[in-house]
Amino acid sequence: MELLQLDLQMFAGEKTEKATPKKRQESRKKGQVAKSTDVNSAFVLLAVFLVLSFTGSSMGNIVTSIFRESFTQYIHMPFTSENIHLIFIELLIQGIWVVAPVMLVAVVAGVAATYLQIGFLFSAEAIKFNLNKINPLQGAKRIFSIRSIVELLKSILKILLIGTVTFTILWLHVDEIFNLSQKTLYDALALVAKLTIQMGIGASIALLFLAILDYLYQRYDFEKNIRMSKQDIKDEYKKTEGDPLIKSKIKQKQMEMATRRMMQEVPNADVVITNPTHFAIALKYDDSNMDAPYVVAKGVDFIALKIKETAKEHDIVTVENRPLARALYDKVEIGQAIPDEFFKAVAEVLAYVYRLKQNV
């Protein structure tokens, strides 16, 4: 028996359940999300090489202009601090025109790749100082973990795939590469630039393919790490909704308080209509407050018995009417006036009560 209980406890502690929305939200606040860095790298590389393919000629013209001015104008200028400052500013501006588009596109691509994976997220938890990050034992566990083996295999696969793509592109242009020595400097540089862009775009597409697979793996690994046990879900429910035992006790106390308040109104009733044993409905008619009689108390079984006992103690007339008592209990709440359909029956009961009081 003890072994069976131990097995049940161990099973309850196994993290086999999907994470709840609350657990996902808490993990997200801590910066724990499914994210692949390879997606960012692939997006940035692809965006940069696409920009270079469209703007490469204009960038080449700017660089050529820089060299031309350097060898034709700047070389003949006197070596003074003013001239050096002027040359530096001009070269800086022209360099910005070359680098700025590439840098801007790289930043936009990196932000877009992150947003596509995790949306907008700012978390300070990820940059908080944590001694576990420099703990040698924790570091050794990370080095020899399954995740590190997967990362090693990913790196090998990236090297093989990207190397294959670049080698294939070079092999397809091997004749042009061997003839570089016979080309002019401008044609040789143009060929190198073209091959570089082709290899860059090809490698970026290959890396993007691997990045998609890596993102799927990261999603799987993330879902696995945030799994919850059945006990975790129960504990979370208790924290969120409250302990069911405590909630039932609170509800019981509320019902007891409501019953006491209701019983305090019974002595003010004009009549109590009974089933006679299961239901009891206490009615009062006050034409200054309501146009029709209203229910001051109602109950079934034990509560009905208490209403009848209280009515007897305060000389409240009790009238037995089985169908009327049951119908009023089902359709009228405490404090509400009786519906029109019960006017005639209740009026007959009240008339009977008033006649009894007059005879007394």
Side-chain angles (χ1 to χ4, degrees):
M1 187 68 180
E2 293 179 355
L3 290 174
L4 178 60
Q5 292 179 350
L6 182 61
D7 289 340
L8 291 174
Q9 290 177 358
M10 291 178 63
F11 179 74
E14 291 182 359
K15 299 185 180 298
T16 57
E17 306 300 314
K18 288 186 177 181
T20 60
K22 185 175 184 297
K23 177 66 178 293
R24 293 178 184 277
Q25 186 177 9
E26 290 177 352
S27 299
R28 185 175 177 83
K29 287 181 179 179
K30 295 178 182 178
Q32 298 173 358
V33 290
K35 179 177 179 291
S36 171
T37 55
D38 290 341
V39 174
N40 294 60
S41 302
F43 266 67
V44 171
L45 281 176
L46 184 60
V48 166
F49 281 107
L50 286 175
V51 169
L52 289 175
S53 66
F54 289 107
T55 63
S57 59
S58 60
M59 290 181 181
N61 294 332
I62 294 174
V63 173
T64 302
S65 175
I66 291 174
F67 279 104
R68 183 182 297 111
E69 292 180 0
S70 299
F71 290 110
T72 59
Q73 297 182 19
Y74 300 151
I75 198 171
H76 299 296
M77 294 177 67
F79 187 76
T80 62
S81 58
E82 292 80 4
N83 289 338
I84 293 174
H85 178 74
L86 179 63
I87 293 172
F88 176 77
I89 295 298
E90 290 183 358
L91 292 177
L92 180 63
I93 293 173
Q94 294 182 38
I96 290 174
W97 280 108
V98 174
V99 177
V102 177
M103 298 297 295
L104 180 62
V105 169
V107 171
V108 172
V111 173
T114 302
Y115 183 80
L116 288 175
Q117 293 183 84
I118 62 174
F120 179 77
L121 174 64
F122 176 79
S123 175
E125 293 287 336
I127 59 176
K128 279 187 177 180
F129 180 72
N130 188 355
L131 289 175
N132 288 329
K133 293 181 179 179
I134 58 175
N135 188 339
L137 295 178
Q138 295 293 335
K141 288 181 180 179
R142 287 193 295 268
I143 291 173
F144 298 103
S145 63
I146 298 296
R147 188 178 184 86
S148 63
I149 296 174
V150 172
E151 292 297 327
L152 176 62
L153 294 176
K154 279 168 45 183
S155 299
I156 295 173
L157 185 60
K158 282 190 287 187
I159 293 172
L160 291 175
L161 187 59
I162 294 174
T164 301
V165 171
T166 53
F167 176 79
T168 301
I169 293 173
L170 291 175
W171 183 258
L172 293 174
H173 298 83
V174 64
D175 293 336
E176 296 180 71
I177 294 173
F178 284 144
N179 292 327
L180 277 176
S181 59
Q182 301 176 8
K183 295 180 179 292
T184 63
L185 178 61
Y186 182 83
D187 292 336
L189 291 175
L191 177 61
V192 170
K194 184 183 75 172
L195 293 177
T196 301
I197 291 174
Q198 288 181 0
M199 288 188 294
I201 293 176
S204 301
I205 294 174
L207 183 60
L208 183 61
F209 172 74
L210 292 178
I212 294 173
L213 297 179
D214 181 58
Y215 175 72
L216 296 176
Y217 168 74
Q218 298 296 339
R219 284 286 299 270
Y220 165 78
D221 189 59
F222 174 73
E223 293 292 335
K224 182 180 177 181
N225 290 333
I226 64 172
R227 281 179 186 171
M228 303 173 67
S229 64
K230 295 182 183 296
Q231 187 61 41
D232 292 336
I233 295 177
K234 290 180 181 178
D235 294 341
E236 181 185 287
Y237 177 79
K238 287 180 180 179
K239 291 180 181 179
T240 306
E241 303 294 335
D243 193 330
L245 182 61
I246 296 175
K247 289 183 68 178
S248 63
K249 289 183 178 180
I250 293 174
K251 188 175 182 179
Q252 182 181 357
K253 290 291 184 182
Q254 291 174 341
M255 291 180 64
E256 290 175 357
M257 293 173 61
T259 302
R260 283 197 296 268
R261 288 196 299 268
M262 181 184 71
M263 297 304 296
Q264 292 172 0
E265 295 295 326
V266 174
N268 300 324
D270 293 324
V271 64
V272 174
I273 303 174
T274 66
N275 190 23
T277 56
H278 294 293
F279 296 91
I281 310 295
L283 299 177
K284 180 176 179 58
Y285 179 55
D286 184 1
D287 56 359
S288 61
N289 292 329
M290 286 192 178
D291 296 334
Y294 61 95
V295 177
V296 297
K298 69 174 186 176
V300 63
D301 295 333
F302 177 75
I303 302 297
L305 179 61
K306 297 292 291 182
I307 291 173
K308 287 186 286 185
E309 290 177 353
T310 304
K312 186 176 181 181
E313 292 173 1
H314 294 83
D315 298 325
I316 305 299
V317 178
T318 301
V319 177
E320 179 182 339
N321 190 324
R322 295 170 181 262
L324 181 59
R326 181 60 185 266
L328 289 174
Y329 182 85
D330 290 337
K331 296 187 177 181
V332 187
E333 298 296 330
I334 297 173
Q336 290 183 351
I338 64 173
D340 297 346
E341 57 188 291
F342 301 117
F343 276 2
K344 183 178 180 181
V346 172
E348 292 176 356
V349 172
L350 290 176
Y352 168 74
V353 172
Y354 293 152
R355 284 197 301 269
L356 285 179
K357 290 182 178 180
Q358 287 175 0
N359 292 334
V360 173

